[in-house]
Amino acid sequence: MSAQEPRPKADRPGGQPQSGQRDAFFDNAKYLAIVLVAMGHSWEPLKGDSQILKAFYDVVYAFHMPAFIIISGFFSRSFDMRPSRVKRLITGVVVPYLVFETAYPLFKNAVVGSHEEISLLDPWYLTWFLVALFVWRITTPVWKVVRWPLPLAIAIAMLASVSPSIGNDLDLQRVLQFLPYFVLGLTLRPEHFRLVRRRWVRVASVPVFAAALVVGWWAAPRMNTSWFYHRDAAQELGAPWWCGPVMVLALLGCSLVLTACFFAWVPGQRMWFTTLGAGTLYGYLLHGFLTKFADFQGWYDHPWLHHPLGEIMVTALAATAVTLLCTRPVRRVFRFAMEPRMEWAFRQDAAELARGRQMKEPEREREREKVSA
């Protein structure tokens, strides 16, 4: 979902793109995941009236963010503290956070007439992911040098789940409890994605998802959905402290199984929606305005929407809206906020300038050859 992801040219778990091309598999996965995110947000005001919809909601929430985070970790493997990487982190993560953390409260104030304050320490609605991505990516060099990165990340998540004193600043509970998925992505290789895309995994994923929906239907009136959000310690959810580590491990296992099943069904070849995978950050951040506007206006209170046909219509509208928000025209309009160049804000790195001159020298040589010919 993140903008300006490093993209290793040699990683080809999907099709066989030429050097420098984006891998269709990952763009397809990101697009399909962002559609699930938008659908899940549209179900939230309706799920209380339908046990079946609540089951779908819980199953989707068990894996859609883990899938995004694993992909983000996979493409952060090449991150280091080179100036060019840091610049991309600032323009692709920090700037969008500042823009949307300011825009969302102002939007609510304009629509509702409230007086909500702007707070850069309290992520508003969707912006927590940008905070998390910044922390995860800036710590990537650490995870690349420790001997057992994934067990360490899991231990940190388990400790966070029993630490209510962490508080709500920068949504650090989510940052720490979702950390294992990012670190897992850092440790994965292209062949691991190829393993889960084998035919037998694709076939086996059908009964696995069916079983997950049955369990979700049974658990809907019995389980607190807040466990899937990873934003609270166990004590804050009214559970004994030991439930925190247990739930971290249980949800990690369930999420990884469902994420593997999801990846198994992601197409590896170019589809009509493949190019939309490059704009998932746009769809993610912008669809929140539509979801909140509908909520602020009371549209979800319409009785017809709380019946099966209404729920299907809301789902279709959410999928359509987020698809449109990932398209090139929308990305061109909002690039100033999502991927600003901001060359004026950074010093020119001597090493980068030298590399640029070296790259341009062959082009100058070819031009001289043309003139002499």
Side-chain angles (χ1 to χ4, degrees):
M1 188 192 305
S2 59
Q4 302 174 332
E5 291 172 335
R7 184 164 296 275
K9 294 181 181 180
D11 296 345
R12 304 287 182 254
Q16 297 295 327
Q18 298 176 357
S19 178
Q21 288 186 338
R22 298 178 66 95
D23 192 309
F25 168 78
F26 289 110
D27 280 334
N28 292 340
K30 291 197 298 179
Y31 166 74
L32 294 173
I34 197 63
V35 169
L36 291 175
V37 169
M39 288 165 50
H41 288 157
S42 73
W43 294 339
E44 192 163 348
L46 307 175
K47 60 182 172 57
D49 300 317
S50 171
Q51 191 169 343
I52 295 177
L53 186 63
K54 177 69 161 48
F56 275 97
Y57 179 90
D58 288 350
V59 170
V60 166
Y61 264 74
F63 75 90
H64 70 355
M65 286 310 298
F68 260 129
I69 296 168
I70 288 172
I71 293 175
S72 297
F74 181 74
F75 284 117
S76 296
R77 293 173 302 152
S78 61
F79 182 84
D80 51 34
M81 298 305 291
R82 283 191 347 218
S84 61
R85 304 282 192 193
V86 176
K87 289 177 186 176
R88 294 172 67 183
L89 184 64
I90 293 172
T91 58
V93 178
V94 176
V95 171
Y97 174 75
L98 296 176
V99 170
F100 283 88
E101 185 65 8
T102 302
Y104 271 125
L106 293 178
F107 173 76
K108 179 179 180 181
N109 293 342
V111 175
V112 180
S114 60
H115 301 282
E116 185 162 337
E117 296 182 352
I118 296 171
S119 172
L120 299 181
L121 295 180
D122 186 14
W124 209 92
Y125 194 32
L126 304 174
T127 56
W128 72 268
F129 180 77
L130 296 175
V131 174
L133 188 59
F134 177 82
V135 174
W136 297 332
R137 192 165 283 174
I138 207 75
T139 59
T140 293
V142 175
W143 301 111
K144 290 165 68 175
V145 299
V146 298
R147 180 166 293 181
W148 299 292
L150 187 56
L152 178 59
I154 293 174
I156 291 174
M158 294 169 68
L159 288 173
S161 71
V162 298
S163 305
S165 60
I166 289 177
N168 297 321
D169 287 350
L170 297 178
D171 242 346
L172 285 180
Q173 275 289 355
R174 275 178 165 171
V175 174
L176 298 178
Q177 290 194 37
F178 275 115
L179 175 63
Y181 301 101
F182 183 83
V183 175
L184 174 62
L186 288 174
T187 64
L188 291 178
R189 295 294 178 266
E191 53 268 24
H192 295 132
F193 290 94
R194 286 193 288 267
L195 285 175
V196 300
R197 299 183 64 248
R198 293 179 176 181
R199 180 178 177 83
W200 72 266
V201 181
R202 190 174 294 119
V203 173
S205 66
V206 176
V208 169
F209 267 122
L213 287 172
V214 172
V215 173
W217 180 85
W218 174 84
R222 298 173 174 85
M223 180 179 175
N224 188 343
T225 304
S226 295
W227 285 108
F228 293 107
Y229 305 150
H230 295 286
R231 66 186 177 199
D232 300 294
Q235 299 92 320
E236 295 173 294
L237 296 177
W241 70 266
W242 55 264
C243 286
V246 171
M247 289 301 291
V248 166
L249 292 176
L251 290 176
L252 178 65
C254 293
S255 298
L256 294 182
V257 169
L258 293 176
T259 299
C261 293
F262 169 71
F263 284 148
W265 279 95
V266 172
Q269 66 275 19
R270 290 187 63 81
M271 309 291 288
W272 64 267
F273 52 79
T274 300
T275 57
L276 301 178
T280 50
L281 181 66
Y282 293 78
Y284 176 77
L285 290 173
L286 293 173
H287 90 276
F289 290 103
L290 301 180
T291 302
K292 285 299 182 181
F293 184 79
D295 187 24
F296 295 154
Q297 295 296 314
W299 292 353
Y300 287 108
D301 296 333
H302 197 289
W304 186 77
L305 295 181
H306 294 259
H307 293 85
L309 286 179
E311 294 164 356
I312 292 172
M313 185 193 75
V314 169
T315 303
L317 287 175
T320 302
V322 78
T323 297
L324 294 175
L325 293 175
C326 292
T327 57
R328 289 183 184 276
V330 174
R331 283 152 53 190
R332 279 196 294 268
V333 171
F334 290 97
R335 184 161 286 137
F336 75 95
M338 309 283 198
E339 301 174 275
R341 296 185 62 85
M342 294 183 60
E343 296 296 338
W344 54 269
F346 303 106
R347 298 186 211 175
Q348 292 294 322
D349 182 61
E352 293 292 335
L353 288 174
R355 276 193 289 268
R357 285 195 294 268
Q358 289 174 0
M359 291 176 62
K360 291 179 181 179
E361 187 58 35
E363 297 177 5
R364 295 194 189 100
E365 185 63 30
R366 284 194 295 269
E367 288 297 325
R368 286 195 291 266
E369 290 176 357
K370 290 179 182 179
V371 171
S372 62

